Amino acid sequence: DTGVSQNPRHKITKRGQNVTFRCDPISEHNRLYWYRQTLGQGPEFLTYFQNEAQLEKSRLLSDRFSAERPKGSFSTLEIQRTEQGDSAMYLCASSRDRATDTQYFGPGTRLTVL
Amino acid sequence: KNEVEQSPQNLTAQEGEFITINCSYSVGISALHWLQQHPGGGIVSLFMLSSGKKKHGRLIATINIQEKHSSLHITASHPRDSAVYICAVAGGSEKLVFGKGTKLTVNP
């Protein structure tokens, strides 16, 4: 257990539905990252927060995706109008401050879109 | 071409063998991370390097900044080392760019 938790661990949904995932980072960590990983591939960066500010978003993050970290603590990732191509493992990680700091990963949320 | 290339993609070894996994990258970096991912998804950070060499137990990581290359070595490999090993680099922005991973299987 790294201290980063994600809920739910698994989500099965039908195409067109909205889904929301939650990440609880290590409490003193200012940085929170979201990644997506498909089978056989390394994780891909989606977005990251410094406290409550969202500082960078990947081009992978279409307008159907939105992420928040309202009080600089937990974060949510919402996908609207899900598509089959959204099926993946969604990983959250936190670190103290910079990308050069060790990142602690949560167990991930596996999304299956039918 | 991916910014981070790992080799080999798959590696099968016998227990006790010395393992080397390589990572090459094409951008300037501030740090390189080696990560371990077990079946089921959990990722654990093994090393963060910006220069030189680090050792933790049977694991050794080295980096050559001039050659843009890093290696992860496992001495006296054990079946519990079986996992996917991922190299990731922190470049000009604060995000990590990941390699595709090397799947290691250590047979008893």
Side-chain angles (χ1 to χ4, degrees), chain A residues 2 31 33 35 37 40-43 45 48 56 89 91 98-103 105 107, chain B residues 30-31 33 35 37 40-45 48 86 90 93-96 98-101:
Chain A
T2 62
R31 285 282 175 100
Y33 300 84
Y35 301 99
Q37 186 177 27
Q41 302 295 315
F45 169 81
Y48 85 93
E56 187 173 348
M89 176 76 86
L91 294 161
R98 299 171 55 83
T100 51
D101 293 329
T102 297
Q103 293 192 19
F105 285 79
Chain B
S30 54
H33 299 252
L35 309 164
Q37 186 169 30
I43 292 178
V44 175
S45 179
M48 193 279 293
I86 302 172
S93 75
E94 291 293 305
K95 68 183 186 184
L96 289 183
F98 296 79
K100 292 185 177 181

Side-chain angles (χ1 to χ4, degrees), chain A residues 23-41:
Chain A
C23 171
D24 287 90
I26 294 171
S27 59
E28 62 265 28
H29 283 183
N30 296 321
R31 285 282 175 100
L32 187 148
Y33 300 84
W34 283 101
Y35 301 99
R36 181 172 70 185
Q37 186 177 27
T38 53
L39 202 61
Q41 302 295 315

Side-chain angles (χ1 to χ4, degrees), chain A residues 52-73:
Chain A
E52 66 274 9
Q54 188 174 19
L55 294 187
E56 187 173 348
K57 293 196 294 184
S58 165
R59 288 170 295 171
L60 293 173
L61 215 65
S62 76
D63 56 6
R64 296 184 299 106
F65 288 71
S66 63
E68 294 183 339
R69 194 183 182 196
K71 297 181 181 177
S73 57

Side-chain angles (χ1 to χ4, degrees), chain A residues 48-113:
Chain A
Y48 85 93
F49 293 85
Q50 174 78 25
N51 300 312
E52 66 274 9
Q54 188 174 19
L55 294 187
E56 187 173 348
K57 293 196 294 184
S58 165
R59 288 170 295 171
L60 293 173
L61 215 65
S62 76
D63 56 6
R64 296 184 299 106
F65 288 71
S66 63
E68 294 183 339
R69 194 183 182 196
K71 297 181 181 177
S73 57
F74 73 91
S75 176
T76 57
L77 178 68
E78 181 184 16
I79 309 174
Q80 296 182 326
R81 305 181 303 281
T82 52
E83 302 173 355
Q84 287 184 323
D86 298 332
S87 296
M89 176 76 86
Y90 290 83
L91 294 161
C92 171
S94 70
S95 70
R96 202 167 285 280
D97 279 306
R98 299 171 55 83
T100 51
D101 293 329
T102 297
Q103 293 192 19
Y104 295 83
F105 285 79
T109 295
R110 182 167 295 283
L111 173 65
T112 302
V113 181

